[in-house]
Amino acid sequence: MAKTKWTLDPTHSELGFKIKHLMITNVSGFFNKFEVEGETQGEDFSTAKIQLKADMDSIHTNNAQRDAHLRNSDFFETEQHPEMVFESTKIEKADGDSYRLLGNLTIKKISHPVQLNVDFGGITKDPWGGERAGFTISGKIKRSDFGVSFGLIEGGGTMLGDEVKIHSEIQLVKVPVGEAVKI
């Protein structure tokens, strides 16, 4: 079966997160700039190999001062570590159109295996004759696993939670045969 390449439609996709602040509310944010590339056998996403790269400088939480703090050495050190990268290793069917996406996430040059939940929305033709696939992706990571521990206080007190909830809406566009993919 022929390999099919897919690329992100950034205008119809988002990469977001939530983290507890003072353990009473969540603060939300997202990345303005990220890329996703995929390769499947035919159009079978259970065979997909996926790579995501996010520009860490593009982090946005609706507060410029907080965003600048997230870019400095207390958090992501974006000058030294400009990208966050996810590379899939396996996709497992859960049930119906639900899957588990396993892979390695790298932040600040520290990699850890992660498992994400994927709801496959299907494949459709767009008004211009192209094909698109849609996904809702969610999961959780511990930021301390990646050397991001600002606000974690020994003895149980915390300013910021360690658990980061990930939520993404991803729309991929099928790359016509013969066209190059960016990543």
Side-chain angles (χ1 to χ4, degrees):
M1 184 176 291
K3 292 186 179 185
T4 303
K5 297 199 182 286
W6 302 82
T7 190
L8 183 73
D9 175 352
T11 60
H12 296 103
S13 300
E14 59 187 46
L15 176 58
F17 61 89
K18 288 185 180 196
I19 187 168
K20 284 280 190 188
H21 179 255
L22 299 176
M23 306 315 291
I24 58 172
T25 59
N26 286 304
V27 172
S28 298
F30 56 91
F31 293 92
N32 285 320
K33 296 178 186 172
F34 65 100
E35 298 175 342
V36 178
E37 302 295 340
E39 184 177 274
T40 57
Q41 296 293 326
E43 293 182 352
D44 181 2
F45 278 93
S46 70
T47 66
K49 296 197 184 309
I50 304 292
Q51 182 182 63
L52 173 140
K53 290 183 179 181
D55 177 348
M56 297 302 284
D57 269 336
S58 76
I59 197 164
H60 181 77
T61 64
N62 285 322
N63 181 297
Q65 185 177 2
R66 178 174 47 226
D67 296 346
H69 190 201
L70 290 169
R71 291 181 188 109
N72 80 21
S73 62
D74 285 340
F75 289 94
F76 296 115
E77 301 178 88
T78 61
E79 285 188 28
Q80 291 82 20
H81 310 288
E83 286 186 327
M84 171 178 63
V85 177
F86 173 81
E87 294 181 308
S88 68
T89 55
K90 185 177 182 182
I91 296 179
E92 300 174 341
K93 188 165 183 76
D95 58 44
D97 287 330
S98 297
Y99 295 84
R100 285 180 292 279
L101 175 61
L102 293 91
N104 295 308
L105 179 63
T106 303
I107 301 173
K108 294 176 67 172
K109 296 184 183 170
I110 300 170
S111 295
H112 281 282
V114 297
Q115 177 179 303
L116 302 170
N117 302 311
V118 179
D119 290 323
F120 178 48
I123 298 174
T124 192
K125 292 246 186 231
D126 63 28
W128 307 277
E131 289 185 69
R132 294 169 180 262
F135 307 88
T136 298
I137 301 169
S138 61
K140 298 175 186 176
I141 62 169
K142 287 188 174 186
R143 64 188 178 97
S144 60
D145 287 347
F146 300 93
V148 182
S149 58
F150 180 84
L152 293 175
I153 301 167
E154 298 258 346
T158 57
M159 182 188 326
L160 297 170
D162 191 23
E163 182 180 272
V164 179
K165 295 177 184 174
I166 299 167
H167 180 79
S168 296
E169 295 291 335
I170 302 294
Q171 193 171 116
L172 297 178
V173 179
K174 187 176 186 179
V175 177
V177 175
E179 274 190 34
V181 177
K182 292 186 290 187
I183 288 184

